[in-house]
Amino acid sequence: MHQQPTPPSAAERPPWSRHEPFPTAGAAPRTPKAGDLPPPSADPHLSSRAAQVSPPPAVTTRPRRPGAAPPPPPPGSRPAPELPPTHTALICVALPGLALSGESGQLDGRGLDGFYRGGRRLLSRCQVRVAGREPLPVQAGMTGADSARFVGTLRVSPAAGPDPDVVVERTRHADGTERITVRSAALRPLRLPVEVALGTDLADLAAIAAGAAGPELPASVHDSGLRWATAGTAACVTADPPPSDALASAGLLRWELDLPPGGTAAVELRVRPAGTGPLRPAGHAATSPLAPARAEGDDPRVAPLLHSAVADLQALLLRDPAHPSDTYLAAGVPWRCGMAPAEALAAARMTLPLGTRLAAGTLRTLARTQLQGQGPRTGMIPGPRRDAGPHLPPGCTGTEATLLFPALLAEARRWGLPEQETQELLPAAERCLTWLRATVGDSTYLADPHPGGPARCETQAHAYRAALLGADLLDAYDRPGAAELQQWAQTLRAAFRTDFWVADRGGGRPAAALAPDGRPVPHLAATAVHLLDTGLLGAGRLAPGLLDTVQTEHLTRLLGTPAMDAGWGLRGLGSKEPGHNPFGHRTGAVRVHESALAVAGLVAAGYEKEAAGLLKGLLEAAEHFGHRLPEMFAGERRSTATAPLPHPAACRPAATAAASVILLFTALAGIRPDAPARTVTLRPVRSAPLGELGLNGLRVAGAPFAVRISRLGLAMVEEAADGLQLGA
């Protein structure tokens, strides 16, 4: 069973290993955003705890011949609607509040423009006119994760020549406030009429994404502004100072502002659901679960990049409504502003250097969703299906979340999760591990949960890490099952190195998956980087990998080839593979999370030169994106005087992209804590690819931690918990 497989010919390969769809129709249908956006009837702000993990029954269909034309669409079917683009939008985030607009600052009611709360668009149109004209946009930019500034100019004095003499500045916040400031540089007093045209459809974000938003609703005059209402929902805009005129039929508020020479006047708008108070974002709480980490060093990009990442993570925080003390990260804005279990766990794991409170809140929230009772899915963390490109069927993110749960708990304990919290979460982790062993049964690999599903490469990596770190956790608390998990992990490692390795002239590559009949799916994808992410054990040790030393070296070489490294990061699918699409979210786009995992994994394996190349590419990309990395961008080849191409539907900010910045910098410093043993081991990158680097405001063992890496690659701890010893 474990002999070296001979790569099959194209005709012999299973249909999904060629450039064809997976031959079972049990996969979830494609949605407007590939695999991630809920259907129009779903609310993207709802937790995915209610998602079905049981796929529909598999229906066998005859695969299409290579090169054959696709079948015609069913009668009456319509193509999936185009998602409104987000790559040019300025997005203010402080969940559950959100504000989006273009660079003009005007909300014109088209696309995604508007103020949102909890996934509902409270205001879709907010157009400012001064002296009967729209200001000419001259500058726009983010001033923080939750705020943006827009500046426009006007020429209102006939004798002013070509020079503007009025500046209109708009400062917008995700909490639903906007301040409009008018400044005069005229030599004479001005009396300027200011009009704000308002409107809304009170549409749900998923309906907007599907092109199903309704028309604007009629307004009514309310208090010092306007109000709109539909069945069960109402929103209002109030103004300070109150307008001189409010016209409900036109949705118009009007002021007459008197400005002396050089004078200034301002109007503030507040957008809220009717009957509610000010927005209180979880990230603005006095006691944030995330430490305010800072970076400094020779490379001027490290400080703004870490600052933006921490700010975006704060902006994406949400509270469990039933347990307000528990916070977790939404997956990303604007499409995935609710809980996505696998992404929430992955992001919490990467942010452990900022403290363990986020990890604890995420684990507690998901433990409450764990499937109970009897049956094959008992112990699973539910999660939606995720598209995997043309070569594999959609994957079950519930499987990934269930395997990430015990790994996160084990590593959070190493970073300093209090003993009591660890023990409270231990039963849920044990149920995840019990599900793993029960699901594998007498098999070697953990296959997809639906009938005829493949055994994916990354799933084996997640399962292997969960087994080793889970066994370490069980041993620490004298719980049964550790030996069985370790034995299965050893069996998996021995089999994987044979069954999943596809020999070729270049030395071989890991298969993307094994078909149910054991044949490898040989496509080279970025999901292979999960093989380098082995997990943290005690005394600063990393768990052994699934690949042997020679195989790891071959994988490292492959990741550094132009087919995989776009110059900005790793492509999701190699450029020489069938079905490659530089904009495909799983078929060629650069996903920041996978690129950061590759950097950290290469550093851990000792391949510093290869890690440095990927790291510098990501930093270059981050600079082009204003130090706010999106979840993905196009995998076009980097060349002189080019910039990375944005993906028009990417989330930005995204939890895993922002958290990846934390992973990158702590991997450079090589921080490996063992809080139960009161030690921290440092394994910095000796080549110091960014020169001197200082990290401050981290958290290890519940206390502030600061470290500095010199230009020679030497580490020095500048601040640490009392009694924390530097390990060998």
Side-chain angles (χ1 to χ4, degrees):
M1 173 182 176
H2 304 318
Q3 294 181 354
Q4 181 78 18
T6 301
S9 67
E12 294 172 329
R13 292 175 191 152
W16 73 81
S17 71
R18 303 191 293 270
H19 187 205
E20 296 185 39
F22 190 72
T24 55
R30 292 293 294 271
T31 54
K33 181 180 190 305
D36 283 335
L37 182 68
S41 61
D43 184 350
H45 292 250
L46 291 177
S47 165
S48 57
R49 69 187 60 185
Q52 295 293 323
V53 294
S54 300
V59 179
T60 302
T61 60
R62 179 171 298 173
R64 182 164 47 92
R65 297 189 309 276
S77 66
R78 294 183 296 176
E82 290 288 338
L83 282 178
T86 61
H87 63 286
T88 58
L90 274 72
I91 304 177
C92 306
V93 191
L95 294 181
L98 182 64
L100 296 93
S101 76
E103 293 187 347
S104 72
Q106 300 279 45
L107 305 181
D108 58 13
R110 295 195 296 266
L112 285 169
D113 280 7
F115 283 92
Y116 296 78
R117 184 165 319 175
R120 179 75 60 183
R121 181 156 65 181
L122 304 182
L123 189 69
S124 60
R125 191 162 54 87
C126 182
Q127 296 167 301
V128 175
R129 291 188 292 270
V130 178
R133 290 177 292 152
E134 291 191 10
L136 175 70
V138 295
Q139 190 180 73
M142 302 297 298
T143 57
D146 64 342
S147 58
R149 175 176 177 263
F150 307 89
V151 179
T153 60
L154 290 164
R155 187 170 63 89
V156 298
S157 301
D163 300 328
D165 53 359
V166 170
V167 174
V168 180
E169 179 179 321
R170 301 169 72 171
T171 53
R172 179 172 298 149
H173 296 267
D175 64 0
T177 61
E178 179 163 331
R179 187 172 183 83
I180 304 165
T181 303
V182 182
R183 298 196 303 268
S184 171
L187 298 177
R188 61 181 180 83
L190 296 178
R191 185 174 182 82
L192 295 176
V194 174
E195 297 176 338
V196 181
L198 304 168
T200 188
D201 48 17
L202 292 179
D204 178 87
L205 179 57
I208 298 167
E216 283 193 1
L217 299 168
S220 60
V221 176
H222 173 75
D223 197 8
S224 58
L226 299 174
R227 183 179 187 274
W228 301 263
T230 186
T233 306
C236 62
V237 174
T238 57
D240 182 22
S244 55
D245 293 300
L247 304 176
S249 59
L252 193 68
L253 303 181
R254 180 184 171 91
W255 295 260
E256 294 285 344
L257 301 183
D258 292 308
L259 279 73
T264 298
V267 171
E268 185 168 277
L269 305 177
R270 299 183 184 90
V271 184
R272 293 177 185 169
T276 66
L279 179 67
R280 300 186 184 278
H284 290 186
T287 56
S288 171
L290 300 171
R294 303 176 306 281
E296 59 184 13
D298 291 340
D299 193 315
R301 298 169 296 189
V302 299
L305 181 57
L306 183 57
H307 175 80
S308 293
V310 174
D312 282 342
L313 291 168
Q314 296 275 16
L316 291 171
L317 285 173
L318 287 172
R319 297 187 183 280
D320 186 329
H323 300 82
S325 62
D326 290 340
T327 54
Y328 56 87
L329 288 167
V333 170
W335 309 118
R336 308 178 68 206
C337 293
M339 166 68 87
E343 283 85 347
L345 289 163
R349 183 174 173 233
M350 290 187 285
T351 58
L352 284 172
L354 305 185
T356 60
R357 287 181 53 203
L358 175 63
T362 304
L363 289 167
R364 282 193 291 265
T365 299
L366 288 174
R368 290 188 281 269
T369 75
Q370 196 170 33
L371 299 180
Q372 305 290 332
Q374 301 296 320
R377 310 205 189 282
T378 300
M380 280 195 75
I381 306 293
R385 305 292 293 280
R386 177 196 290 148
D387 184 82
H391 304 302
L392 290 169
C396 176
T397 63
T399 297
E400 184 178 340
T402 308
L403 299 172
L404 278 169
F405 191 104
L408 174 58
L409 180 59
E411 290 190 322
R413 175 174 173 266
R414 297 294 175 192
W415 281 89
L417 183 67
E419 197 74 8
Q420 180 180 348
E421 293 183 73
T422 304
Q423 293 191 41
E424 289 173 353
L425 287 162
L426 187 58
E430 287 184 284
R431 288 192 288 271
C432 292
L433 296 170
T434 300
W435 170 84
L436 168 60
R437 289 300 298 123
T439 304
V440 170
D442 296 330
S443 303
T444 304
Y445 302 115
L446 179 63
D448 278 10
H450 58 80
R456 300 171 197 263
C457 174
E458 68 271 25
T459 300
Q460 312 320 306
H462 294 317
Y464 177 73
R465 183 178 58 236
L468 289 185
L469 271 62
D472 189 55
L473 188 65
L474 296 177
D475 266 342
Y477 291 96
D478 296 323
R479 300 294 300 165
E484 184 182 7
L485 286 167
Q486 290 170 338
Q487 182 179 1
W488 174 75
Q490 292 173 3
T491 302
L492 173 63
R493 182 167 65 239
F496 187 94
R497 292 175 178 180
T498 300
D499 294 349
F500 267 83
W501 195 254
V502 181
D504 58 28
R505 294 178 181 177
R509 62 173 65 185
L514 293 185
D517 63 2
R519 293 188 182 186
V521 181
H523 307 290
L524 182 61
T527 50
V529 304
H530 291 282
L531 296 171
L532 302 175
D533 178 21
T534 60
L536 180 64
L537 297 174
R541 295 178 299 111
L542 298 178
L546 273 175
L547 300 179
D548 62 28
T549 304
V550 174
Q551 291 171 336
T552 300
E553 183 179 356
H554 282 305
L555 176 58
T556 298
R557 180 182 53 78
L558 289 170
L559 296 179
T561 61
M564 288 300 296
D565 184 359
W568 310 108
L570 281 183
R571 295 182 172 97
L573 184 69
S575 60
K576 296 181 179 179
E577 303 295 332
H580 170 80
N581 173 6
F583 282 93
H585 86 297
R586 299 284 171 183
T587 56
V590 172
R591 299 187 66 83
V592 172
H593 179 205
E594 288 171 342
S595 296
L597 284 177
V599 172
L602 291 169
V603 165
Y607 295 94
E608 295 188 0
K609 179 181 178 181
E610 293 79 2
L614 280 174
L615 170 68
K616 291 177 180 179
L618 276 177
L619 262 63
E620 290 281 350
E623 196 170 15
H624 286 288
F625 286 111
H627 304 290
R628 189 186 221 185
L629 281 165
E631 65 170 326
M632 60 181 170
F633 49 90
E636 292 280 4
R637 182 66 190 163
R638 179 180 177 177
S639 59
T640 305
T642 61
L645 295 177
H647 193 293
C651 287
R652 180 168 174 258
T656 54
S660 292
V661 175
I662 316 300
L663 175 64
L664 289 172
F665 290 151
T666 51
L668 282 181
I671 305 171
R672 302 179 188 176
D674 188 352
R678 303 299 295 170
T679 64
V680 60
T681 302
L682 298 179
R683 293 285 187 270
V685 176
R686 295 293 185 179
S687 58
L690 303 183
E692 185 172 327
L693 174 66
L695 300 175
N696 304 283
L698 304 177
R699 291 288 185 274
V700 173
F705 185 83
V707 63
R708 184 169 297 275
I709 311 302
S710 74
R711 296 181 184 94
L712 299 176
L714 301 176
M716 181 176 67
V717 175
E718 296 184 332
E719 185 179 17
D722 291 339
L724 190 66
Q725 301 295 317
L726 186 62

